[in-house]
Each structure stands twice: as C-alpha cells, then as structure tokens.
C-alpha cells in the first residue's frame, strides 16, 4: 500500500478537532455575512470574520476586546441579557436587533444564533444580516401608504382604521367618539389666484395649526385637497364640541405666505358623534362630511353638528342623486328660456337657456336644487352635454324672422371646463343642427372660472371664441370679483349679478358699482347685460348708465320653448314703454 503524503493524516482524537476547527474558521472567514462567536458567560467576542470587520468598521483587535453588549444601544441591553438567558439547544432566529457601527450609526439586523462548544467553553455562533435598507423601504412604503406627503398627517385610509379602533374601544367603555371634518373654503380659488405652490404652503400651515390645537387624544388626517379630519375620544360630548370651536378659531387668522403676503381662507367644520345609528367609521366620516358641506353653505366659518335633520337631508340628497342619474335617459329634463333685450332698440338679442327637471312625484325642480348634486357626483358633464345638444337644436328651430333671438345662452360649470371634449361637443351640435356658432353664447360664472383658472381653461374658452361662440362672465360682482378679469380673460359680455341690480334706488354703493362696471366694460369693448331686472326704476337707471341689455321678471319670466314667442313680445313691449 503506497505511503500517504506527509500532510494527509488520519483523523484521530488529537488531530481531528484541530482540522475541524481549521475548517470551521475557513467557513467563518469565507462567509459574506457578518459572523462571530462569543462566550455565553462573559459575552466577550471569541472570533469574528472579515465581513463583520468590514461591515461594522471595528478592527479585529477591537472586536476581540469588546463584549456583544458594546455593539448595542444601552437601552437594548436588558433585552439582550434576557435573550441570552433563554436555553437554545438548536438553531435560533432571535429576530430584529439594533447594532452600533464603529462610527456610532445604528443599523437594523436580523440575528441567527446557535450554541456550540468553543475550546471547552459554552459559546454561541451568530450570523447578522443587515436589514436596514429593507426596513427603511418597508417604513417608506408604509408612510407613503398611510400618510399624506406634504403635511405628514395620516391619510384617509389610516384615519378610517383609527376611527374603527376608537369605535370598538367606545363599545367597551363609557367614552364618546367624535369626528370633525374641516374644509378650507375656496381653496381652489385661492390656488388659482396665487398658484399651487403658495396654496400648498397654506395647507402646510393649516396642518401645523391643527397640530397645535389638537392634543394627544386626537388623531389628525388630511383627506385630500383642503379637507382635514380629526378623531376625538372624550368622556363627554361637550368636550368634542369644544374642540370644534377651538379648531374653527385656530384656522380663522390669515396665513403669511412668502411672496404673497397675508392669505385667508375661512374653514367650515362638520361634526359627527357616534351613537346607536352609527356602527362603522365610514358612516361617521360621511356624516361629518355632510355636516361640513352644510356649514360651508352657510358661509359663516363656523361648525355644524350632524343631526336628524341633516341625516334626512343627506338621505334626500342620496335619493335625488340616484334619480338624477337616470333623468336624461328617461327624458325628464327640459329647457326654459328667458329673453335678453337690447335697451336701446328693444330687439331681443338672446335667450338664456335654463335647465329644469320634471321629477316624477315632485314636479318641476329648480336647478338650484339639483345642479350642486350633479357637480358633486360628476353627473354635470353628462347633463351639461344634454343641455348643449338640446339648447342648440331648439334654437336652430326657432322661427326665422327679424324678431327671433340673436343668440342662445348656455351655462357652463367649472367641471365642464375640464371636459376635454367640450369644444368638440359644441362643434358637433352646431354642425348637426345647422345653427351658426355665432348664434351661441356660453355663460360662465366668475367663481366657476376662478375654480379652473389655469391655462387649460383659458385655452378652452379661446377655442370656443375662435369658433365664433361668444363668452359671457355671469353673475359678475359675486365671489372673487375683480375688474382685472375683464382685462385679462377671454370674455365678450359682462352680466351684472342681480344682487347689485336689486340695490339700485336702495343702496347708493350699488348704484356706483353698477355704473362703474358699465363704464369699465365699455372701455374694454365689452357688452353689459343686467340680470334680475324687476322694476321700472331699475330699468330706467340702467338706461341712464348706458347698459346694453337686460333680463328679468319685469321683461319676461323663463318659459318653455313653446311659450317663447309670447314671452319675446312681452319683453319688447316693456322695453318700448
């Protein structure tokens, strides 16, 4: 039998453990993950691999002079010793830990350990896996999923979860749960005036003010746009109402925004209190939102508590919205027309198309009752398209004569301005009916334009004018009135709000304002129409100011298309008197 080479040895009691130890050390050294062996009694490092030296930044000598407590934050030491005291007879995954690098930074690690005998002493082999990046990504994902980026507040999803938990707690105790929904009034108008960046700064300041007046028991959230929410758990309901008052007061002062001075947007607060009728978070938030909307409509910057009446209104609104969704399909919509008469020669220069809804069981419903619902639900684009098609088709069928109205006026909402097919809808309606585009005037309230006052909205109006369609600014003098709009925006006609016309002969300021609007509009080559003319005195004053045209009950009330000829005759007779 050939002799063995000199380095080939039979494993025996003397050489076997030594070779096994060498193999173990080679395995330890070659592992790409940080590994070490420490003494279970003294916690001193007995061995450490190159990966640990590289990853932790300690030299090998520094490692072997330390205990495993030295690489951990002081506050984790108790947990470490409790973990070591546990008996582990096999491979153990001891979960997440924090380890300290040589430069003092902390990292998150997952540790796997195994008991072994090291040179006759009880020891443990540890493999450390740095999961800092993974945990950071998980934390970032969680933050983005559950928190609002600009403000750092909880988002709607997380807020709903927390309200659900609060409701569960309230069922097992005597506490009360309330939700506040807060809306910054006219935030869209503010953003369109000063820009999105300034509006975002306004929102961040609002979030800070809410943090300042809402203590630990509350949970804050941003629901989107200018809407916020607060969860309040209290011993009694008055404490929840008191918080609402505090919030309304905290948001009342103006906000200093660099480059834009002091900006102000009042807040409306809706409150919903959990009771026997509310069993889930979504219902509580929905009730608070409903109360907030009613508070917004009051325009007093105060708060409103959801109650039986608001619940009934919310139910009515829901059923109205459901019925409205099928109104066009069931042919329940119709158009009324109100003449607009030239104050100089008595000619009918136009008729404003006014939408009505013949709702079964309710009769004729005014647009003031259902248009806001249509806008909130998104039905306004479908209904607006119906109005465009039918108003233009009916105007094309008006008898051809010198006495026919020159134009049909069609009202547009802010939502319709965002409709990318709006211009195409007008072009199609005019082509299919044969009505010239010059016989159409679109009417847009200044508040609606301000809500969409961006380049896209401007382009839409410019495209309509290029077709030959006139553009009128409706209800001028309400909302964010500014004579600068008349200079910079693509309007042909100014329609003065009826509120100013009603003040003629009553309020000297209204007389001065109406006269000023007429003078400025004419200086910019714009025509002026007075809305809501109801008395002979108002008509005479408007003629004195040089106002171009008027409409109102004195001239003629809105009537169905079939009754339009007699309404036109009446309007002409009134102006001719």
């Amino acid at each position: 039998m050939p002799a063995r080479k000199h380095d080939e040895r039979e494993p025996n009691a003397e050489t076997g453990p030594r070779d096994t130890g060498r193999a173990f050390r080679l395995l330890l050294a070659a592992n790409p993950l940080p590994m070490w062996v420490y003494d279970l009694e003294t916690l001193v490092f007995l061995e450490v691999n190159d990966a640990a030296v590289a990853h932790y930044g300690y030299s090998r000598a520094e490692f072997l002079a330390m205990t495993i407590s030295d690489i951990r934050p002081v506050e984790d030491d108790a947990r470490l010793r409790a973990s070591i005291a546990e008996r582990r007879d096999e491979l153990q995954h001891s979960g997440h830990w924090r380890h300290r690098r040589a430069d003092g930074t902390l990292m998150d690690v997952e540790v796997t350990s195994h008991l072994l005998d090291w040179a006759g002493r009880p020891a443990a082999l540890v493999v450390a896996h740095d999961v800092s990046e993974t945990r950071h990504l998980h934390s970032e994902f969680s933050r983005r999923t559950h928190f609002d980026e600009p403000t750092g507040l909880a988002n709607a999803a997380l807020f709903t979860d927390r309200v659900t938990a609060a409701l569960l707690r309230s069922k097992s105790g005597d506490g009360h749960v309330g939700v506040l929904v807060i809306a910054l009034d006219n935030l869209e108008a503010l953003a369109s005036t000063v820009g999105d960046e300034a509006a975002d700064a306004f929102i961040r300041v609002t979030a800070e003010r809410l943090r300042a007046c809402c203590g630990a028991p509350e949970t804050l959230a941003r629901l989107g746009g200018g809407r916020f929410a607060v969860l309040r758990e209290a011993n009694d309901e008055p404490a929840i109402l008191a918080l609402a008052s505090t919030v309304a007061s905290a948001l009342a002062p103006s906000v200093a925004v660099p480059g834009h001075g002091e900006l102000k947007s009042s807040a409306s607060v809706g409150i919903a209190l959990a009771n026997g009728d509310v069993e889930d978070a979504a219902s509580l938030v929905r009730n608070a939102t409903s109360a907030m909307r009613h508070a917004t409509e009051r325009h007093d910057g105060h708060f409103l508590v959801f109650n039986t009446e608001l619940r009934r209104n919310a139910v009515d609104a829901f059923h109205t919205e459901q019925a409205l969704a099928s109104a066009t399909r069931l042919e329940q919509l119709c158009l009324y027309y109100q003449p607009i008469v030239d104050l100089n020669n008595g000619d009918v220069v136009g008729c404003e198309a006014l939408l009505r809804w013949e709702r079964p069981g309710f009769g004729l419903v005014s647009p003031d009752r259902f248009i806001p619902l249509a806008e909130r639900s998104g039905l306004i684009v479908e209904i607006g398209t119906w109005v465009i098609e039918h108003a233009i088709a009916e105007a094309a069928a008006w008898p051809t004569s010198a006495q026919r109205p020159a134009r049909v006026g069609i009202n547009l909402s802010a939502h319709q301005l965002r409709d990318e097919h709006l211009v195409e809808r007008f072009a199609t309606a005019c082509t299919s009916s044969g009505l010239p585009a010059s016989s159409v005037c679109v009417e847009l309230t200044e508040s609606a334009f301000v809500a969409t006052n961006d380049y896209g909205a401007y382009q839409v109006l410019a495209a309509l004018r290029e077709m030959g369609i006139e553009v009128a600014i409706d209800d001028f003098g309400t909302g964010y009135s500014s004579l600068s709009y008349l200079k910079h925006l693509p309007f042909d006609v100014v329609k003065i709000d009826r509120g100013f016309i009603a003040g003629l002969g009553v309020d000297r300021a209204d007389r001065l304002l109406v006269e000023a609007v007429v003078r400025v509009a004419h200086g910019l080559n714009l025509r002026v129409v007075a809305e809501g003319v109801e008395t002979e005195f108002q008509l005479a004053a408007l003629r004195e100011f040089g106002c171009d045209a008027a409409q109102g009950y004195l001239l003629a009330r809105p009537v169905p298309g079939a009754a339009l000829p007699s309404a036109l005759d009446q309007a002409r007779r009134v102006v001719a008197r």
Side-chain angles (χ1 to χ4, degrees), residues 214-298:
C214 296
E218 293 81 28
T219 296
L220 279 169
R222 183 184 177 205
L223 304 182
R227 287 193 302 135
F228 297 83
V230 181
L231 166 64
R232 180 69 158 98
E233 297 177 76
N235 293 327
D236 52 36
E237 292 183 353
I240 299 174
L241 301 183
L243 174 63
S245 179
T246 301
V247 166
S249 299
L251 300 185
S254 56
V255 173
V257 176
H260 298 281
E262 297 285 330
L263 301 180
K264 183 175 179 58
S265 176
S266 62
S268 299
V269 184
I271 310 165
L273 304 171
N275 52 44
D277 297 329
V278 177
E279 297 182 352
D280 60 86
S283 297
L284 196 59
V285 174
R286 185 167 56 248
N287 291 349
T289 302
S290 178
M292 176 273 294
R293 285 174 177 157
H294 283 82
T296 302
E297 291 170 1
R298 297 194 322 187

Side-chain angles (χ1 to χ4, degrees), residues 13 42 48 60 90 100 146 149 175 187 239 241 278 303 309 404 408 426 441 450 470 475 558 563 572:
T42 65
V48 63
R60 187 178 305 279
E90 56 185 27
R100 190 188 306 278
H146 297 105
E149 184 73 24
L187 181 66
L241 301 183
V278 177
F303 60 88
E309 182 182 354
R404 68 171 284 161
V408 59
F426 275 98
C441 177
V450 167
E470 278 198 341
D475 297 339
R572 294 188 188 98

Side-chain angles (χ1 to χ4, degrees), residues 318-338:
F318 173 78
H319 290 303
T320 300
E321 184 179 316
Q322 296 300 305
L324 185 60
S326 56
T328 55
R329 177 174 54 83
L330 297 177
E331 299 182 351
Q332 296 171 355
L333 300 180
C334 61
L335 292 174
Y336 276 44
Y337 297 92
Q338 186 173 38

Side-chain angles (χ1 to χ4, degrees), residues 442-466:
V442 296
E443 300 186 10
L444 183 75
T445 64
E446 56 178 315
S447 59
F449 185 85
V450 167
T452 56
N453 188 9
D454 55 30
Y455 188 60
Y458 187 96
Q459 283 185 308
V460 169
L461 295 181
L464 291 173
R465 294 182 79 205
E466 189 174 348

Side-chain angles (χ1 to χ4, degrees), residues 417-435:
L417 270 186
R418 300 187 186 101
D419 176 15
E420 60 182 3
H421 301 295
L422 181 65
V423 176
E424 178 185 345
R425 298 187 200 283
F426 275 98
T428 300
C430 288
T431 300
S432 60
S433 67
L435 185 72

